[in-house]
Each structure stands twice: as structure tokens, then as C-alpha cells.
């Protein structure tokens, strides 16, 4: 059951037919031996989640009003830090787990929220310290992705589990938004005097809502700015005739795969004006940022000075002398724009956890920068991009792609959890990480006019020195091994739906039983997809699903045909993993199911057979669908 639910292709790197012998076969044999040994030594039940091992991850920084001091949040350390004007740490305090939300009131009070807790922590900076001032509980949510402070003394929160924008008082009372999604994958919220603005990554839209005198959004007056792919960053300022918006996002064009690589996925900076009665949005600037060397911009800053508009793609806070400061999770550092060059201030992190390997850090850079294809160009369909262009934070972009294979349409799939989930992607043509990574280098730079078997070092990419790369270039084999090491460590983050719990509810248990009887013959409870002996008996499901790791893959290494057509392979589609389904929208390989309720309404079970898509109405009753939905939410 549920075959194809979240499955899709990544970069479609496998080949349909064997080509000539690979001249790099010896290097690939060494990489494959390394991968095999690493898998044999790994206990996938207890493999740490990536939020525990990928460094301090500074993700936001803000200036305190009327002060030279700044505050920043460390996602990987569940901490908020107080910094002086030179970015030196003065104090550190505990936050809700995995913090990503940071807001500062005009009076200087600091608010921090986390993806793994349903609470907002409050702090009062005083005398070079961050004094904890209690927490604001938020009922009915699993996590909080981002927030903004409203001058009415309220907070606007976005959470991407149920896709909502919530407005709460400082005591935790929900004033608006408890019942209605704002869009798919809300990740950023910005507040101006008269508007609240939300970026929804998976539905590819920015939602502009005027607020009333209490600061509550007027949802009936919302303006939605949509395009073909995701926006990654937003900012807003009010002007005399309305609102100006700046966004960083992908090129507003369908992804073109007909050349065997990736076309029309350059990064762009956009400026929109929202004005008029009723208000409408007009695009006034669309600038190819990739052509300027800025790829996948995730921070944007907008200011208006008379008739001039200034857009910066690299600022989160400004110092007294005008220098801009950015939180950089890749470098695990605060980066100061000194004008002609940058100054990198590493986060103070000595002794927090064992240091990451150089391979892991370089592998992360290969995924989240242009390092995997540094010679790509931008002209027409030819694009400069990163893997994150289609895999936001390693997950998905919500798009349905045309891979250039007839009527086949596919959704993006996550890059987390690949180590124990092979063969890879919908067509399962890459049998292991070695093959997948080698092919990713080829397809990413296919139109760069450059050999994908390249070495690179600080001479070509000076910023690699900040990761610890020395004067010797990284060889082609070292680069591939580095990406493999990172993907081995790039495990799923904890599911907030299970944290703080150890047992299933009665409805979740009923859903697990329905899944066991109708779904698990395809979505097997394996710890390693291509190892039948790793299948977990039903009696252990509860304990494992309620851990931080949630390690069961819920997949196997076979093809199946369940009615979701056209099939990506003559044998069907490889059975996909069901881990962290709330991060993956839309569903099915072809993206035809908008949500899990849509998936379950279509499910047809009869006499031991199962179809996801059929002309016959679905056969699950309402209670069974609700129970299955509750169980799937735990995975």
C-alpha cells in the first residue's frame, strides 16, 4: 500500500544501458569498497540524526535596537548567543530544540523558537548577559519554523507540519490561524507596520496579508505572488503607495531536462510592488543572480531611499559602520561583508561535540554550493545552480518535473537518508552511493564544457580554506568520497510528532495494524532497503518509531505497479521510503496527490491486491483513513 507516495527522482543520473568502460573504474572500486565497509560497520538503529552531528549551524542573526550588540541562533546547538560588534560571543543560553526562529522587539526583548518544540523562549539582554524570561507555550503545534514580532505586542509564527500561519499573544493565546493552512511549506515570515508576509516554499508563493488594528491578518484581502518554482528568501518595506517586496528564488520557468542536464534553473532576485484597491502585485525587477555569481540566495535585504530601491542578497544584520553580517551554516561562522572582501568569524564551539571530518564539510559544500559543477554557465536554458535549487535544505521543492521521457512526470525526493535506502531514486538505476555520486558530478556539469572528473582547491575556490582545505587540490576521487561521506551523515532530523512520547495512541496503533496488513508487503519495515534480513517485526515498530532516529525506512528495493502512471521504468516504480512524509508534498511519483488525505481516499484494497490509482472508488472507510493518517504522521 502507499507505493509511490513520496517517491520521485533526484537528478536522474542512472543510465538505461551500459556504456563504454569507465576510465576511472579503479577509483570507483576503491570508493565502493569504502562504502561497503562503512555500511557493514553502521548500526542504522542508532545512527545519529543530522542535527546532532553537522556542527553548530548558525542560521539567523539580528541587531539589538539601540545597541552595538547582536543575537544569533545556533540550530545545531539549541542555543542563542549574545555577540559584540566584532562577533565575539559574550553569553549563551539554551533554546527550544533545533532553533530556527528569531525575533527582536523594539524594546530589545529576544524571542527564539525551535523546529522540535511547541514553545517560544524569551530573553532579556542585560549587562552582557542573556537572561531567560520564561517560555510561551503554543498549543496544537508540533514545531515552529520561523516567527516575526508585531508592534501590537504579538508574534506571527509559521509551522511547516500543518502549513499554518499563527498569530499569538505573548501569553500564548492563538488569535488567528489555528484551522487554516496559509500555503504549503511556510518557511519565512516578515512583518511590517501594516502587513505580514509569508514565504511558502512548496507551493511556490509569497502571501501578503494586511493586518487589522490588533495585528491579526486579514486573510480575505490576501495577495498571492506565485511562480513556477520556489522562493528561498523574502524581505518587505512599506512605501507611500503600498508595499515593496524583494525575493530570492529560482528562475520562473519550468525545469527543462531535455538536454540530459538541468535547464532554466538559474537563481533570480525579484522585486514586486503590491498596491492599488483592491491590491494587486506587479513584478518590477527580475535579475539573473546566477550571472552575478550569487546562486540559491537564502537571505535578501530590501531598503527604499526616495525613488531608489536597494536589494542585497547577503545581509541579515547591519553594524554601526554599515557593514553587513550574515549567519552562515555551511562555514559554521558569522560572515562580515567588509566591502571588497569578507571576514569570517567561526562560531565558538570548542569541545561541544567531536569535530567533523574535512570530508564531511567538503561534501556538504558540494551539495549546497556550486562546487559540484563550478564551471557551469548561464545563458538561455544553460544554468548555474546548486543541488539545493531543487532540494531545499536537502528535502524537496514541491515541483513536478518533466524529465524528458515522454509523458513521465516526477516529483523531487529528499536527499536525506540515502545511505540505507538503495538503489536510488524512482528508476533505481544507481545501485549504490558510489554510482549515484559519480553520476551526479556528470549530470550536474554536463553543459559546462568541462570534464566532470576534475580536481579543485583553494586556488580556484579560496573559501574552501574556511572549511580546512589546505594548499593541495582535492582530487576527483577525494571529492566523490567527500560527498559520499556527507550523504552517509545526512540523516533525517527527528520527527517532532514523536518527541517527548514513547507509546502510540489507540488510533495510531489501529493505523499501524492496518498498515501492517495492507501496506507493509511493499513498504516493508526494513532498516536497510536492500537487506531483507533487516526487516523489523511488528512488536518493535512502536519503540523504533518513537525514537529520535525513527530509523525504519519503510521501503524495499523492488519495483511495483500500483496504477500511478505513466511508470518511470518498464517494471514500474521502485518502492519508496515513507520517512518524514510531512516534509514531502505533493505525493506519488507523478505528483498527482496533493496531500495524504488525497492518497488515502484513492487507495483500493480488495482480496489481497492493492492499487494507488484506479477508476474504482477507494475502499478505505473514514475511520481507517484517519487511523492510517495518524500512523503515517509518526514516520
Amino acid at each position: 500500500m502507499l507505493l509511490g507516495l513520496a517517491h520521485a527522482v533526484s537528478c536522474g543520473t542512472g543510465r538505461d544501458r551500459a556504456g563504454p568502460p569507465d576510465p576511472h573504474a579503479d577509483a570507483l572500486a576503491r570508493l565502493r569498497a569504502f562504502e561497503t565497509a562503512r555500511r557493514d560497520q553502521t548500526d542504522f538503529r542508532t545512527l545519529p540524526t543530522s542535527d546532532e552531528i553537522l556542527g553548530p549551524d548558525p542560521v539567523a542573526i539580528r541587531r539589538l535596537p539601540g545597541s552595538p550588540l547582536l543575537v544569533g541562533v545556533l540550530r545545531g546547538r539549541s542555543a542563542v548567543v549574545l555577540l559584540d560588534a566584532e562577533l565575539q560571543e559574550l553569553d549563551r543560553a539554551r533554546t527550544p530544540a533545533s532553533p530556527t526562529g528569531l525575533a527582536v522587539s523594539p524594546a530589545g526583548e529576544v524571542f527564539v523558537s525551535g523546529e522540535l518544540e511547541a514553545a517560544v523562549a524569551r530573553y532579556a539582554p542585560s549587562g552582557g548577559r542573556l537572561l531567560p524570561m520564561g517560555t510561551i507555550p503554543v498549543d496544537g503545534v508540533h514545531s515552529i519554523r520561523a516567527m516575526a514580532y508585531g508592534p501590537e505586542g504579538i508574534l506571527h509564527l509559521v509551522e511547516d507540519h500543518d502549513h499554518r500561519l499563527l498569530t499569538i499573544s505573548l501569553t500564548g493565546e492563538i488569535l488567528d490561524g489555528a484551522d487554516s493552512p496559509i500555503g504549503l511549506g511556510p518557511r519565512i515570515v516578515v512583518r511590517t507596520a501594516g502587513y505580514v508576509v509569508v514565504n511558502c516554499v512548496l507551493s511556490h508563493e509569497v502571501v501578503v496579508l494586511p493586518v487589522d488594528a490588533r495585528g491579526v491578518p486579514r486573510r480575505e484581502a490576501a495577495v498571492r505572488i506565485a511562480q513556477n518554482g520556489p522562493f528561498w528568501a523574502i524581505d518587505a518595506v512599506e512605501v507611500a503607495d503600498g508595499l515593496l517586496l524583494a525575493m530570492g528564488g529560482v528562475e520562473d520557468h519550468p525545469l527543462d531536462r531535455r538536454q540530459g542536464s538541468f535547464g532554466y534553473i538559474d537563481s533570480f532576485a525579484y522585486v514586486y510592488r503590491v498596491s492599488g484597491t483592491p491590491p494587486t502585485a506587479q513584478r518590477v525587477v527580475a535579475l539573473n543572480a546566477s550571472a552575478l555569481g550569487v546562486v540559491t540566495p537564502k537571505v535578501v535585504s530590501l531598503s527604499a531611499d526616495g525613488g531608489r530601491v536597494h536589494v542585497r542578497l547577503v545581509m541579515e544584520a547591519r553594524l554601526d559602520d554599515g557593514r553587513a553580517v550574515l549567519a552562515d551554516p555551511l562555514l559554521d561562522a558569522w560572515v562580515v561583508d567588509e566591502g571588497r572582501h569578507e571576514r569570517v568569524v567561526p562560531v565558538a564551539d570548542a569541545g561541544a561535540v567531536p569535530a567533523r571530518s574535512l570530508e564531511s564539510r567538503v561534501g556538504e559544500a558540494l551539495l549546497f554550493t556550486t562546487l559540484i559543477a563550478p564551471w557551469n554557465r548561464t545563458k538561455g536554458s544553460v544554468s548555474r545552480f546548486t543541488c539545493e535549487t531543487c532540494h531545499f535544505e536537502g528535502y524537496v521543492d514541491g515541483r513536478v518535473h518533466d524529465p524528458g521521457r515522454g509523458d513521465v512526470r516526477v516529483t523531487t525526493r529528499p536527499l536525506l537518508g540515502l545511505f540505507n535506502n538503495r538503489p536510488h531514486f524512482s528508476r533505481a538505476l544507481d545501485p549504490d552511493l558510489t554510482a549515484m555520486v559519480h553520476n551526479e558530478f556528470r549530470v550536474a556539469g554536463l553543459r559546462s564544457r568541462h570534464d566532470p572528473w576534475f580536481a579543485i582547491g583553494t586556488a580556484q575556490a579560496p573559501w574552501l580554506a574556511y572549511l580546512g582545505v589546505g594548499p593541495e587540490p582535492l582530487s576527483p576521487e577525494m571529492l566523490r568520497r567527500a560527498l559520499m561521506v556527507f550523504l552517509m551523515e545526512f540523516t533525517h532530523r527527528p520527527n517532532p510528532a514523536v518527541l517527548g512520547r514513547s507509546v502510540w495512541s489507540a488510533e495510531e496503533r489501529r493505523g499501524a495494524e492496518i498498515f501492517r496488513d495492507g501496506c507493509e508487503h511493499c513498504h516493508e519495515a526494513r532498516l536497510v532497503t536492500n537487506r531483507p534480513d533487516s526487516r523489523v517485526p511488528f512488536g518493535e515498530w512502536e519503540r523504533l518509531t518513537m525514537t529520535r532516529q525513527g530509523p525504519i525506512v519503510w521501503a524495499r528495493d523492488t519495483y511495483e505497479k500500483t496504477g500511478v502512471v505513466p511508470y518511470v521504468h518498464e517494471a514500474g516504480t521502485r518502492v519508496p521510503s515513507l520517512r518524514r512524509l510531512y516534509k514531502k508534498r505533493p505525493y506519488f511519483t507523478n505528483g498527482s496527490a496533493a496531500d495524504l488525505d488525497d492518497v488515502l481516499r484513492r487507495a483500493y484494497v480488495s482480496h489481497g491486491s492493492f492499487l494507488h490509482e484506479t477508476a474504482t472508488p477507494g475502499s478505505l472507510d473514514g475511520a481507517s483513513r484517519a487511523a492510517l493518517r495518524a500512523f503515517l504522521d509518526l514516520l
Side-chain angles (χ1 to χ4, degrees):
M1 196 172 181
L2 299 172
L3 178 68
L5 184 62
H7 206 58
V9 300
S10 173
C11 298
T13 56
R15 298 182 180 182
D16 293 300
R17 297 178 178 85
D22 194 319
H24 313 298
D26 289 346
L28 296 179
R30 289 190 293 271
L31 291 172
R32 188 160 282 116
F34 162 70
E35 179 182 356
T36 299
R38 184 81 170 254
R39 276 169 57 96
D40 290 345
Q41 296 165 5
T42 299
D43 180 359
F44 287 101
R45 292 173 183 257
T46 59
L47 193 64
T49 55
S50 57
D51 62 308
E52 298 177 297
I53 60 173
L54 294 184
D57 256 3
V59 294
I61 187 169
R62 301 287 185 270
R63 175 83 176 270
L64 292 178
S67 169
L69 304 182
L70 304 98
V71 287
V73 292
L74 307 180
R75 186 183 192 182
R77 298 292 176 260
S78 294
V80 57
V81 294
L82 183 67
L83 306 166
D84 66 18
E86 296 303 314
L87 286 307
Q88 299 302 306
E89 188 172 317
L90 302 175
D91 195 23
R92 178 180 295 211
R94 188 75 180 169
T95 67
S98 194
T100 51
L102 174 63
V104 179
S105 76
E109 186 173 8
V110 177
F111 301 86
V112 180
S113 63
E115 289 189 297
L116 301 180
E117 287 189 33
V120 176
R122 306 173 70 167
Y123 308 87
S126 178
R129 300 289 307 278
L130 278 171
L131 305 179
M133 302 298 289
T135 60
I136 305 170
V138 185
D139 294 334
V141 303
H142 289 304
S143 68
I144 302 168
R145 171 64 193 211
M147 65 181 165
Y149 182 86
E152 303 82 4
I154 58 174
L155 291 171
H156 302 284
L157 317 175
V158 291
E159 57 93 12
D160 63 359
H161 184 277
D162 295 313
H163 310 281
R164 293 178 296 174
L165 164 68
L166 301 173
T167 300
I168 68 169
S169 71
L170 297 188
T171 61
E173 179 188 1
I174 296 179
L175 306 176
D176 178 72
D179 301 320
S180 53
I182 188 66
L184 296 183
R187 297 291 199 277
I188 303 172
V189 58
V190 173
R191 177 64 199 271
T192 69
Y195 298 87
V196 60
V197 185
V198 180
N199 180 30
C200 299
V201 171
L202 298 185
S203 52
H204 318 139
E205 59 184 340
V206 170
V207 187
V208 180
L209 304 104
V211 298
D212 64 19
R214 300 176 300 152
V216 173
R218 294 169 46 216
R219 293 176 182 255
E220 75 284 356
V223 175
R224 293 180 179 267
I225 301 169
Q227 68 162 22
N228 188 269
F231 299 106
W232 306 302
I234 60 170
D235 197 13
V237 296
E238 293 191 31
V239 292
D241 62 345
L243 187 72
L244 284 178
L245 295 155
M247 289 94 94
V250 74
E251 187 169 357
D252 189 10
H253 191 289
L255 171 63
D256 188 342
R257 296 287 305 279
R258 291 174 297 178
Q259 302 296 324
S261 183
F262 306 98
Y264 297 109
I265 56 169
D266 278 315
S267 297
F268 271 66
Y270 299 101
V271 176
Y272 280 80
R273 181 185 299 274
V274 176
S275 60
T277 305
T280 58
Q282 178 186 9
R283 182 188 291 175
V284 294
V285 174
L287 175 69
N288 187 334
S290 288
L292 303 177
V294 180
V295 183
T296 322
K298 296 172 70 176
V299 177
V300 63
S301 177
L302 176 66
S303 61
D305 179 13
R308 298 172 64 89
V309 175
H310 305 273
V311 178
R312 299 186 66 154
L313 297 175
V314 291
M315 188 177 77
E316 285 193 304
R318 187 182 291 278
L319 302 178
D320 281 338
D321 56 10
R323 292 177 299 162
V325 183
L326 175 75
D328 192 322
L330 176 67
L331 301 183
D332 284 327
W334 315 109
V335 180
V336 184
D337 181 359
E338 302 277 11
R340 293 188 175 183
H341 58 88
E342 74 284 340
R343 180 165 62 92
V344 175
V345 182
V347 170
D349 200 48
V353 294
R356 292 177 64 190
S357 69
L358 175 62
E359 287 179 321
S360 175
R361 299 196 72 189
V362 171
E364 184 178 13
L366 285 162
L367 195 71
F368 290 103
T369 76
T370 59
L371 190 65
I372 195 170
W375 292 278
N376 276 359
R377 302 164 293 124
T378 172
K379 182 179 180 181
S381 66
V382 180
S383 301
R384 297 185 69 189
F385 52 87
T386 69
C387 297
E388 195 179 16
T389 301
C390 297
H391 300 273
F392 184 75
E393 295 186 345
Y395 280 97
V396 301
D397 64 354
R399 288 212 274 187
V400 179
H401 304 307
D402 177 358
R405 299 194 302 273
D407 295 332
V408 171
R409 297 294 182 271
V410 292
T411 52
T412 314
R413 65 153 295 165
L415 299 180
L416 295 91
L418 293 183
F419 191 22
N420 53 336
N421 186 24
R422 69 185 194 188
H424 300 298
F425 311 131
S426 299
R427 292 196 294 164
L429 299 181
D430 289 331
D432 51 29
L433 278 181
T434 301
M436 188 273 284
V437 164
H438 184 50
N439 283 324
E440 292 292 341
F441 274 86
R442 176 185 61 82
V443 74
L446 186 63
R447 303 174 73 187
S448 68
R449 303 173 182 169
H450 199 283
D451 188 347
W453 190 262
F454 62 85
I456 196 168
T458 54
Q460 298 85 8
W463 56 268
L464 285 172
Y466 298 126
L467 300 180
V469 176
E472 293 298 318
L474 300 167
S475 71
E477 183 177 343
M478 292 170 65
L479 290 171
R480 283 156 177 77
R481 177 168 164 141
L483 183 52
M484 290 170 61
V485 167
F486 176 71
L487 290 173
M488 291 170 181
E489 297 176 354
F490 201 34
T491 52
H492 284 282
R493 293 175 177 271
N495 185 342
V498 308
L499 295 181
R501 303 175 53 196
S502 59
V503 297
W504 292 336
S505 69
E507 184 176 51
E508 290 163 349
R509 184 172 301 279
R510 173 60 180 150
E513 292 167 349
I514 296 171
F515 185 93
R516 176 197 61 197
D517 298 337
C519 311
E520 203 257 342
H521 63 280
C522 284
H523 292 283
E524 287 191 3
R526 296 185 184 185
L527 295 169
V528 181
T529 314
N530 65 335
R531 280 179 38 195
D533 64 339
S534 71
R535 191 174 184 178
V536 176
F538 183 75
E540 293 187 43
W541 287 15
E542 182 175 32
R543 179 177 62 83
L544 290 177
T545 57
M546 305 304 278
T547 63
R548 283 180 57 87
Q549 289 84 359
I552 301 174
V553 184
W554 308 105
R556 67 182 189 192
D557 58 338
T558 60
Y559 296 100
E560 296 291 341
K561 292 184 176 181
T562 60
V564 180
V565 294
Y567 296 115
V568 297
H569 187 278
E570 62 183 11
T573 299
R574 211 220 84 183
V575 179
S577 169
L578 302 183
R579 296 177 80 185
R580 310 303 187 268
L581 283 177
Y582 77 97
K583 288 282 193 181
K584 310 169 188 178
R585 296 275 291 267
Y587 296 118
F588 291 149
T589 306
N590 62 10
S592 62
D595 53 33
L596 285 180
D597 291 331
D598 193 9
V599 170
L600 297 174
R601 277 193 298 268
R602 302 185 195 186
Y604 182 79
V605 185
S606 178
H607 305 296
S609 65
F610 174 82
L611 288 174
H612 270 303
E613 192 75 82
T614 175
T616 305
S619 61
L620 293 171
D621 60 39
S624 296
R625 292 198 303 270
L628 262 176
R629 179 72 172 80
F631 174 68
L632 292 171
D633 197 41
L634 304 176
L635 308 186

